[in-house]
Amino acid sequence: MSTSLDLGIEGMTCTACAGRVERAVKALPGVVSATVNLASERLRVTFADPPAAAAAVTAAVTRAGYEPVLATLDLDVTGMTCASCSGRVEKALRAAPGVVSASVNLASERARVTMAAPADAAALVAAVTRAGYGATLPEVAAAAAAPRSDLWPVLLACALALPLVVPMVLAPLGVHVMLPGWLQLALAAPVQFWLGGRFYRAAWGALRAGTGNMDVLVALGTSSAFGLSLVNLWRGGDLYFEASAVVIALVLLGKRMEAMARRETGAAIRALAALRPATARLRRDGLERAVPLAELALGDLVVVRPGEAIPVDGTVLEGESQVDEALLTGESLPIAKAPGDVVAGGAVNGEGQLVIRTTALGAESMLGRIIRLVEDAQATRAPVQRLVDRVAAIFVPVVVGIAMVTLLGWLWAGAGVDVALLHAVAVLVIACPCALGLATPAAIMAGTGVAAKHGILLRDAAVLEQAQAVTLVAFDKTGTLTEGHPSLVAMDPADDALLALAAAVQAGSLHPLGRALTGEAARKALLVPAASVARALPGRGVQAEVAGRKLVLGTARLLAELGLDPGPLAARAAALEAEGRSISYLAERGGRVLALFAFGDALKPQAAPALAALRRAGVKTLLLTGDSAGSAAVAAAALGMDEVAAGLLPEDKAGRIAALRAQGEIVAMVGDGINDAPALTAADLGIAMGSGSDVAMQTAGITLLRGDPGLVPAALDIARKIRARIAQGLVWAFAFNVVGLPLAAFGMLSPVFAGAAMAASSVAVVLNALALRRWKPAP
């Protein structure tokens, strides 16, 4: 029996491409046939082993040099109680046809599935259901959420169990108020089979799927204590109804407290989502009316009154105001906005009315991208989680085996069946692996949430491993350590006609130095001629034709490549560079150097404290810039940087980083421009300033939503703290079981105390992770 898989592919341009993809896929084991339709850019694969084929096919397409088109779907999963549960859900989802990968977050109770075909939600829900759990789309889950409280089962279970445990507490004090056996049965039975029915249902689903989880351990343990008590009630022996009832009550109470604490780990996402108002004031045909955000389109005019939240990303057309972006970027001070300025949805308008032309909506807005980045980070699994998964896969069978050895050992030692069974029950109860499954996702959710609150976005959990090992941070200069708004401070010769030519060459450039030239020409009201055939020369400058003259404007490196000599201007350039100025030359191709322009760009006030913080943390710093050696040296000296490399092209920066990594350094690169993308990719960890380009942000592992260098040491600090909390949680969870299991096996813990300790361990792990919410960047 064969199964088919459809997969979209990007990057194919000819029949040779299609053939290459077909050959790559046909070489896979189990593939019966592979056919590529170049017109529709789709691949159809027929294979005999669907669980393993989807991921293998996408990997083969990637190796062939093309991009598989994947679909991602999130599911809310119910019924999971421990790491074994999340592992089983992942296994079930990965076995579904077309699934490339699946990741389940126990703390958020959400699964993220990547598929090699349009996502079939019904098939994924069915796969989760067959594994013994429930699954719904997040939107459906939100709509179906009932306002009722789930606290009453916990309170009722505690109320029924309390009369059973009170006589035990009073007995050592000489007070004997033991309830009649039939009354103990009447109190314990509803707790065991009604309020504790969820454990039986979940345990049955797990056993039916051929695995075990926490519910199996609780069901086995409490049923053993209840069954023994029932037999003894009939034959007149000791009763242990309080053990089964109290364990269930404590587990329910622990899961309730755990759920409350886990909800707090997702508070950051909910706070971000709440920033966007439900409606916007649309201006159309001279009239204003409130409409749902879903009715807005790109280009619509939106009116934002004083004090209102801005509903969309856009450009200000009318009005002036101060805008508070604190909840978006962590920037504490309001930012002045006037016509032509860009505003982000979710920010709060100040005292003036604004009219905004919409440029981005929904998921494509800045707020939407922030939420998506945080959700993506929280959906990923830290590398250390692989160890947890391996342990969880064998944990329950091992615990059941230990319980059986405990039972047989006590019987062999001469203890009665009652005593041996109670000790075995204590082993089953105390070993529930809840804390083990919560340690990693709870810390990641809490940490990435608080980081986003302060303007730091972590792309995924792997960043935590990279950040905690960083030994050197390399910085770009312009716009990263400097304000990024250079001004023209000198020119030689001081000829406005040459300034107009330089402004013409730079007319279409977005480079900060280019804007400084065009801005100065505009200030002097110069007539700037039109330029043609303009082309950027990355890392060196720009060239264009102006009034029939082939002109270049750029660095001394560009002059050297063109064989041009700056002549007497060289001495003037050296003097200006010694003052920290950036130098550009205007020259004619095949002619001579016409003029020199010197630019000044102030260092950001946060730069020096940021570099000092990195030095205190034992991290070395390096300045990588395309600027001249003189100006780079002045900036590096002012900031106390360890090393500086100037006059670099984008590929030179990447090469320098690769060389440092070959020397054993763990390198983080900080940049904000398109030219920084190769260096960000070459580094162990890329850190992009959010004030920079989308290319830099998409390449980086960490995005800083403000152009504040102080966020660099803060980002490394929060990443290390998240990693530390994960380690603490795992150590606690492992230590709890390593210590608790022997105590229970040797009869030093009763089932009641074992249940209380098990519940407390899960709550403690989550509360330890929640301590991250108090984190703040160092001032």
Side-chain angles (χ1 to χ4, degrees):
M1 180 178 176
S2 62
T3 305
S4 296
L5 170 71
D6 282 327
L7 175 65
I9 301 176
E10 293 180 349
M12 297 187 299
T13 57
C14 59
T15 54
C17 299
R20 189 177 302 118
V21 172
E22 287 182 354
R23 287 193 297 274
V25 175
K26 286 177 180 177
L28 296 174
V31 171
V32 178
S33 65
T35 306
V36 173
N37 186 320
L38 187 61
S40 63
E41 295 184 308
R42 297 200 69 80
L43 163 70
R44 167 155 287 199
V45 186
T46 303
F47 48 85
D49 186 17
V57 168
T58 57
V61 171
T62 302
R63 286 195 300 271
Y66 303 94
E67 186 70 24
V69 179
L70 304 176
T72 300
L73 181 72
D74 286 342
L75 292 174
D76 284 329
V77 181
T78 58
M80 297 188 298
T81 55
C82 64
S84 299
C85 299
S86 58
R88 185 161 64 258
V89 173
E90 281 187 0
K91 183 178 179 182
L93 288 171
R94 287 171 183 158
V99 171
V100 174
S101 65
S103 177
V104 177
N105 188 318
L106 178 63
S108 62
E109 297 183 312
R110 179 162 289 192
R112 173 155 293 185
V113 187
T114 302
M115 304 187 71
D120 185 349
L124 298 179
V125 169
V128 175
T129 302
R130 285 193 299 271
Y133 302 90
T136 55
L137 293 173
E139 296 81 2
V140 176
R148 65 180 181 84
S149 168
D150 58 353
L151 180 60
W152 70 266
V154 178
L155 295 177
L156 182 56
C158 291
L160 292 173
L162 186 62
L164 296 173
V165 77
V166 166
M168 291 181 57
V169 175
L170 296 179
L173 302 177
V175 180
H176 301 283
V177 289
M178 189 64 66
L179 298 177
W182 63 267
L183 184 54
Q184 292 186 46
L185 173 62
L187 290 170
V191 178
Q192 183 72 40
F193 300 109
W194 176 37
L195 301 174
R198 50 167 285 183
F199 298 112
Y200 288 103
R201 291 189 294 271
W204 170 245
L207 294 173
R208 191 174 55 185
T211 58
N213 62 1
M214 183 206 83
D215 302 291
V216 172
L217 299 180
V218 172
L220 274 175
T222 58
S223 297
S224 299
F226 188 91
L228 176 62
S229 301
L230 200 60
V231 171
N232 285 351
L233 178 64
W234 173 69
R235 70 182 188 184
D238 293 331
L239 303 181
Y240 305 99
F241 286 118
E242 81 286 342
S244 64
V246 172
V247 165
I248 288 177
L250 287 173
V251 173
L252 290 175
L253 178 61
K255 299 306 288 183
R256 166 72 184 188
M257 294 173 63
E258 176 191 306
M260 292 171 61
R262 282 193 324 210
R263 179 173 170 78
E264 291 302 308
T265 63
I269 289 288
R270 294 193 300 275
L272 285 170
L275 293 179
R276 186 186 292 119
T279 62
R281 194 174 304 280
L282 174 66
R283 176 184 288 183
R284 186 174 289 169
D285 300 326
L287 300 176
E288 295 181 12
R289 61 189 180 93
V291 299
L293 290 188
E295 294 185 14
L296 291 179
L298 296 181
D300 279 345
L301 300 185
V302 174
V303 179
V304 185
R305 294 177 177 175
E308 292 183 340
I310 298 174
V312 297
D313 286 10
T315 304
V316 177
L317 291 185
E318 302 174 15
E320 294 184 1
S321 185
Q322 298 282 325
V323 172
D324 183 356
E325 298 180 347
L327 293 177
L328 278 176
T329 67
E331 175 59 62
S332 58
L333 298 176
I335 300 171
K337 298 293 182 180
D341 289 336
V342 173
V343 294
V348 179
N349 187 24
E351 74 285 355
Q353 177 170 292
L354 298 176
V355 178
I356 299 167
R357 184 179 298 280
T358 303
T359 58
L361 293 164
E364 298 308 313
S365 66
M366 178 180 177
L367 178 59
R369 292 198 303 270
I370 292 173
I371 291 174
R372 187 164 63 248
L373 279 171
V374 178
E375 287 180 335
D376 288 346
Q378 295 184 347
T380 59
R381 303 169 72 79
V384 71
Q385 187 69 21
R386 289 192 290 268
L387 171 62
V388 176
D389 294 340
R390 287 196 294 270
V391 171
I394 62 171
F395 194 83
V396 173
V398 167
V399 169
V400 173
I402 294 173
M404 290 300 299
V405 170
T406 300
L407 175 66
L408 296 175
W410 280 97
L411 289 174
W412 180 78
V417 174
D418 294 13
V419 173
L421 189 57
L422 282 179
H423 294 332
V425 168
V427 168
L428 292 172
V429 171
I430 201 168
C432 296
C434 308
L436 201 61
L438 288 170
T440 300
I444 289 175
M445 290 183 68
T448 54
V450 73
K453 178 181 176 181
H454 292 286
I456 301 168
L457 301 182
L458 306 177
R459 185 180 63 192
D460 54 39
V463 167
L464 306 177
E465 304 291 329
Q466 299 158 346
Q468 61 94 24
V470 166
T471 60
L472 182 147
V473 177
F475 287 88
D476 174 49
K477 177 172 171 276
T478 303
T480 302
L481 294 175
T482 68
E483 295 287 359
H485 305 296
S487 59
L488 182 65
V489 296
M491 61 178 292
D492 192 352
D495 186 340
D496 284 349
L498 294 175
L499 175 60
L501 286 178
V505 174
Q506 287 281 14
S509 172
L510 296 178
H511 193 280
L513 299 186
R515 290 199 298 267
L517 282 172
T518 55
E520 182 66 14
R523 188 183 69 80
K524 291 186 172 184
L526 300 180
L527 180 61
V528 178
S532 61
V533 200
R535 183 165 71 91
L537 305 171
R540 292 164 305 208
V542 65
Q543 67 180 27
E545 288 189 17
V546 181
R549 304 170 69 180
K550 295 181 179 180
L551 301 176
V552 294
L553 182 68
T555 63
R557 180 171 187 158
L558 178 59
L559 294 188
E561 290 178 0
L562 298 176
L564 298 174
D565 184 358
L569 292 178
R572 174 67 169 149
L576 289 167
E577 286 181 357
E579 299 173 7
R581 307 306 185 188
S582 300
I583 304 299
S584 286
Y585 295 94
L586 177 67
E588 283 190 278
R589 273 184 173 272
R592 61 189 180 89
V593 177
L594 302 175
L596 168 154
F597 300 93
F599 304 89
D601 190 7
L603 292 171
K604 291 179 178 178
Q606 311 96 326
L611 273 292
L614 290 172
R615 285 194 298 274
R616 288 193 299 271
V619 177
K620 292 176 283 189
T621 56
L622 165 66
L623 181 61
L624 296 179
T625 178
D627 215 338
S628 61
S631 62
V634 170
L639 296 172
M641 302 187 77
D642 297 301
E643 193 178 349
V644 59
L648 301 179
L649 299 176
E651 56 268 28
D652 296 332
K653 294 181 183 180
R656 185 61 179 267
I657 289 173
L660 288 167
R661 294 180 64 191
Q663 297 168 15
E665 300 283 3
I666 308 299
V667 182
M669 172 67 194
V670 186
D672 74 330
I674 294 175
N675 288 346
D676 297 321
L680 292 171
T681 303
D684 295 282
L685 174 63
I687 303 178
M689 292 287 193
S691 55
S693 70
D694 286 343
V695 175
M697 293 173 66
Q698 291 167 6
T699 309
I702 296 178
T703 296
L704 309 179
L705 294 178
R706 304 195 307 277
D708 179 358
L711 291 181
V712 175
L716 297 182
D717 181 60
I718 185 59
R720 288 168 177 167
K721 282 185 166 55
I722 295 171
R723 182 68 176 79
R725 293 289 173 174
I726 291 174
Q728 291 168 11
L730 290 177
V731 167
W732 169 258
F734 277 116
F736 173 82
N737 284 294
V738 167
V739 173
L741 276 171
L743 290 177
F746 286 104
M748 302 173 68
L749 278 180
S750 72
V752 171
F753 284 109
M758 184 271 290
S761 69
S762 297
V763 175
V765 165
V766 178
L767 291 179
N768 180 60
L770 283 177
L772 285 167
R773 295 183 61 195
R774 297 195 296 269
W775 176 86
K776 292 182 180 179

